[in-house]
Amino acid sequence: MTTNRKMLKALKSAIAYLDSSMLAMDKKDDGLLTDSVWHAAAELEYALFLFSITVQNEIDKSKWKLNPKLKKVEVGPTLVTVQDLLNEAEKCIKNEKLLDAYKSAYIARNYMLKVQKDFAKKKREALKKKK
């Protein structure tokens, strides 16, 4: 299997997990939501690894920023943004625009990290309330 096909497969898998996370949000199933987000993030990390070894020329990632800067995370809208970015990355791979695909996936990953950080914060707060 070529590297591009592996990237595409990882992105499709991340998108599928994001779909699952949206369903979990609708059902108010926090366990499934957290699990699905984790799996989507893992698939995205794998795709980014493949991008990094494929697009080896010097890339200035400092210009690849979240738009706009997120201070407070709203999980639903953030996951929709991630889905849009991953769909864009998927299209770019199919059109052999790997650098654009890499950029979209990279920004999507940063959004996912914000969501995961928010989950961890809520979990810590819940544990503090129990004590």
Side-chain angles (χ1 to χ4, degrees):
M1 186 181 286
T2 65
T3 305
N4 285 14
R5 286 191 32 199
K6 287 179 185 175
M7 284 186 270
L8 207 51
K9 184 178 176 192
L11 288 174
K12 284 178 187 279
S13 181
I15 291 167
Y17 280 115
L18 281 171
D19 291 342
S20 176
S21 69
M22 297 297 200
L23 292 173
M25 263 184 17
D26 289 344
K27 294 178 183 173
K28 299 193 182 339
D29 184 340
D30 290 342
L32 180 60
L33 174 61
T34 303
D35 189 55
S36 297
V37 166
W38 186 89
H39 281 287
E43 291 292 340
L44 191 48
E45 286 293 340
Y46 179 61
L48 287 170
F49 166 71
L50 294 171
F51 277 118
S52 73
I53 60 175
T54 304
V55 186
Q56 292 181 354
N57 53 344
E58 289 301 310
I59 300 165
D60 184 7
K61 291 187 222 161
S62 67
K63 294 178 182 159
W64 296 356
K65 302 266 187 230
L66 296 181
N67 211 3
K69 285 276 188 190
L70 276 181
K71 288 185 176 70
K72 181 158 175 33
V73 175
E74 288 184 51
V75 176
T78 303
L79 293 179
V80 169
T81 299
V82 170
Q83 274 185 314
D84 293 343
L85 286 163
L86 293 183
N87 286 328
E88 181 62 29
E90 188 179 353
K91 278 186 226 158
C92 289
I93 289 175
K94 289 177 181 174
N95 294 327
E96 309 225 352
K97 294 180 178 178
L98 291 184
L99 196 56
D100 291 340
Y102 189 11
K103 180 180 178 182
S104 291
Y106 181 85
I107 293 169
R109 193 267 314 266
N110 285 329
Y111 279 114
M112 291 297 287
L113 291 173
K114 296 265 187 197
V115 169
Q116 289 179 305
K117 193 184 269 188
D118 184 61
F119 286 169
K121 181 181 173 186
K122 286 178 182 169
K123 188 174 182 178
R124 278 192 309 275
E125 288 170 358
L127 287 173
K128 282 181 186 176
K129 286 179 184 177
K130 285 183 180 178
K131 290 183 178 178

